[in-house]
């Protein structure tokens, strides 16, 4: 009669690994576990059944905080998948898509184009291009006092998004005259007209009214209202990595990280709120007190709450591969007695998982992961029966030399506390 199994044999506190040969798998580690999850005690828990709900190539998924829908790239198109299984196409995209979530709005970009998806699932634009400088002229009648007036325009989308404003033009108006302003011929928006008092400066520009495309109007006695707060602002650029920190969206575009205005996520200011690095940025991630910026050969930490006064320093001499920076649960990866705090995760250039904690402290929970698969990574959270997992997918741009392998088994290392990598 066969000897009964020792229950201790069925405990795997170190998880699984398939990056080591069979003879090198350490004690407490499994080579392969099929259809089971590992609890934080190292025990096995049977997985719930799975069923196919949608076929095709699905990449770069993100679930809206409400849980009502998710975004993903399906066969080169950004789509919305609702909780009842309906797929809505949003727009064609150029490869990998980065996301940031702020105030229940998902901001997305593929490095070429960008947009937003609101909490109700409605897709809309992210920022508006500024209109050309105002075309205007003085008129003989209109009731204005004589003087030099500053005039500029903004574009206003039906959703209420307002663009920045170009440099104002000056119009010399005779006593009793007016200012005729001509709107551009751009469809789909209205144009806000901002005019200064006589002999006023650009900081005194105030709302005077709005115009339809291609329309014109004479502005006479001015009932000037709200002051213009977007002079010099521009539409946020498309980026390869996004993050939300302290009420602003951070955007990596080439070797520059742009930060949206504190007044609106739909604007940036070229003269401030940006950080330049020596090479292209591959990763953005946020912690409690700062932002991690990954390059191909190092990682920086920008520390502080005021964007204009953040301290910058190198915190790692290993680079970060594209696609990391995802926020992880505040109460995970904690040392004994350590309080929860905002933190993020990425994969370094050696294929090792990194957790970015406050003050630029980086920990590596596992000693190995997927060396040699260093092109891009994607991640998602999973909570099954109280087992919380961070699932990372690491692959390459070339499907022949560095294929992305996905199975319904643990295909990499699983370490303690139920976190799977």
């Amino acid at each position: 009669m066969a000897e009964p199994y020792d229950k201790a044999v069925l405990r795997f506190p170190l998880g699984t690994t398939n990056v080591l040969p069979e003879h090198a798998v350490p004690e407490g580690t499994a080579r392969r576990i099929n259809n089971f999850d590992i609890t934080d005690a190292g025990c096995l828990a049977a997985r719930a059944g799975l069923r196919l709900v949608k076929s095709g190539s699905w990449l770069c998924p993100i679930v809206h905080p409400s849980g009502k829908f998710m975004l993903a790239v399906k066969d080169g198109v950004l789509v919305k998948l609702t909780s009842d299984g309906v797929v809505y196409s949003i727009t064609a995209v150029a490869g990998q898509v980065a996301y940031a979530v702020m105030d229940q709005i998902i901001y997305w970009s593929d490095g070429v184009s960008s947009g937003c998806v609101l909490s109700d699932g409605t897709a809309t634009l992210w920022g508006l291009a500024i209109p050309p400088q105002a075309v205007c002229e003085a008129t003989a009648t209109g009731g204005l006092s004589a003087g030099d007036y500053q005039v500029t325009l903004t574009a206003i989308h039906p959703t209420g998004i307002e663009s920045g404003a170009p440099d104002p033009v000056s119009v010399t108006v005779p006593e009793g005259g007016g200012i005729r302003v001509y709107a551009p011929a751009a469809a789909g928006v209205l144009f806000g007209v901002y005019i200064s008092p006589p002999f006023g400066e650009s900081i005194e520009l105030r709302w005077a009214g709005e115009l339809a495309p291609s329309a014109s109007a004479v502005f006479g006695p001015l009932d000037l209202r709200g002051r213009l707060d977007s002079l010099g602002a521009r539409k946020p650029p498309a980026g390869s990595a996004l993050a939300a920190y302290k009420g602003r969206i951070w955007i990596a575009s080439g070797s520059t990280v742009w930060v949206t205005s504190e007044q609106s996520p739909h604007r940036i200011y070229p003269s401030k709120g940006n950080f330049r690095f020596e090479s292209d940025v591959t990763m953005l991630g946020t912690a409690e007190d700062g932002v991690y910026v990954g390059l191909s050969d190092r990682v920086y930490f920008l520390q502080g709450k005021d964007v204009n006064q953040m301290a910058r320093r190198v915190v790692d001499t290993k680079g970060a591969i594209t696609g990391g920076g995802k926020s992880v649960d505040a109460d995970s990866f904690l040392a004994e007695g350590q309080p929860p705090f905002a933190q993020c995760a990425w994969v370094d250039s050696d294929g090792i998982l990194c957790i970015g904690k406050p003050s630029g402290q980086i920990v590596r929970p596992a000693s190995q992961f997927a060396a040699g698969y260093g092109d891009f990574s994607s991640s998602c959270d999973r909570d099954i029966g109280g087992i919380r997992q961070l699932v990372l997918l690491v692959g390459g741009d070339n499907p022949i030399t560095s294929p992305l392998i996905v199975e319904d088994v643990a295909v990499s290392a699983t370490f303690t506390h139920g976190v799977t990598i």
Side-chain angles (χ1 to χ4, degrees):
M1 184 176 68
E3 293 293 328
Y5 285 108
D6 183 349
K7 292 184 178 180
V9 175
L10 299 180
R11 292 182 181 270
F12 303 97
L14 299 182
T16 69
T17 179
N18 68 353
V19 295
L20 293 175
E22 288 84 349
H23 65 272
V25 175
E27 184 178 354
T29 304
R31 186 70 173 86
R32 179 183 178 93
I33 295 177
N34 194 359
N35 294 322
F36 286 88
D37 288 312
I38 302 176
T39 69
D40 57 0
C43 301
L44 298 181
R47 288 182 176 175
L50 302 175
R51 64 185 177 87
L52 179 67
V53 292
K54 294 293 176 183
S55 61
S57 174
W58 294 79
L59 301 172
C60 310
I62 182 174
V63 178
H64 188 268
S66 67
K68 295 180 179 179
F69 64 88
M70 65 175 283
L71 302 183
V73 177
K74 182 181 185 297
D75 302 324
V77 177
L78 181 66
V79 301
K80 178 183 70 174
L81 174 64
T82 63
S83 57
D84 56 0
V86 181
V87 177
Y88 298 91
S89 296
I90 295 176
T91 184
V93 292
Q96 299 291 315
V97 172
Y99 306 99
V101 181
M102 188 172 72
D103 297 332
Q104 298 292 304
I105 298 174
I106 299 177
Y107 297 82
W108 66 267
S109 181
D110 63 357
V112 178
S113 56
S114 58
C116 297
V117 178
L118 307 181
S119 59
D120 63 358
T122 302
T124 185
L125 49 77
W126 180 10
L128 270 178
I130 65 171
Q133 281 189 298
V135 176
C136 51
E137 61 187 6
T139 61
T141 59
L144 292 178
S145 300
D148 295 332
Y149 292 78
Q150 305 289 322
V151 183
T152 192
L153 300 175
T154 63
I156 304 174
H157 192 262
T159 59
I161 297 172
E162 187 173 14
S163 75
D167 291 337
V169 297
S170 181
V171 181
T172 301
V173 178
E175 184 65 34
I179 303 172
R180 180 175 290 277
V181 181
Y182 298 87
V189 295
L190 297 174
F191 294 93
V193 179
Y194 290 84
I195 303 176
S196 74
F199 301 108
E201 299 181 359
S202 58
I203 61 172
E204 299 178 86
L205 287 160
R206 291 182 177 274
W207 173 267
E210 64 183 25
L211 293 173
S214 301
S216 69
V218 173
F219 292 85
L222 300 174
D223 179 19
L224 299 179
R225 302 177 190 174
R227 179 170 291 178
L228 176 66
D229 62 1
S230 61
L231 185 63
R234 298 292 186 271
K235 175 183 177 180
S240 58
L242 304 177
Y245 179 70
K246 302 302 181 185
R248 302 189 185 193
I249 302 296
W250 292 57
I251 307 160
S253 178
S255 60
T256 302
V257 175
W258 299 93
V259 186
T260 59
S261 167
E262 69 276 14
Q263 299 168 330
S264 171
H266 298 282
R267 305 171 190 161
I268 64 164
Y269 288 89
S271 61
K272 61 181 181 179
N274 61 78
F275 301 87
R276 301 183 186 276
F277 298 87
E278 59 270 28
S279 62
D280 286 353
V281 175
T282 59
M283 181 274 296
L284 290 175
T286 63
E288 190 74 28
D289 59 348
V291 177
Y292 286 92
V293 180
L295 310 182
S296 62
D297 60 351
R298 68 192 66 185
V299 174
Y300 284 90
F301 188 64
L302 305 177
Q303 188 168 7
K305 297 181 179 180
D306 186 341
V307 169
N308 300 311
Q309 298 182 9
M310 298 184 84
R312 177 196 313 209
R313 71 182 192 278
V314 176
V315 291
D316 198 357
T317 55
K318 298 291 184 182
I321 68 174
T322 301
K326 177 180 174 57
S327 296
V328 297
D329 290 339
D331 59 348
S332 60
F333 303 103
L334 297 181
E336 186 69 28
Q338 200 172 35
F341 38 61
Q343 52 190 344
C344 60
W346 68 89
V347 177
D348 70 18
S349 53
D350 284 344
I352 298 176
L353 174 68
C354 300
I355 305 297
K357 295 179 174 292
S359 302
Q361 179 189 5
I362 300 172
V363 298
R364 290 172 166 83
S367 60
Q368 57 188 325
F369 178 36
Y373 290 87
D375 292 321
F376 70 86
S377 69
S378 181
S379 62
C380 63
D381 296 313
R382 185 169 180 258
D383 189 336
I384 302 295
I387 302 175
R388 293 187 304 169
Q389 300 173 324
L390 173 63
V391 181
L392 299 184
L393 306 178
V394 178
D397 292 330
N398 188 322
I400 303 300
T401 60
S402 53
L404 176 63
I405 302 173
V406 180
E407 302 178 25
D408 186 27
V409 296
V411 295
S412 298
T414 303
F415 51 92
T416 190
H417 301 306
V419 180
T420 303
I421 56 173

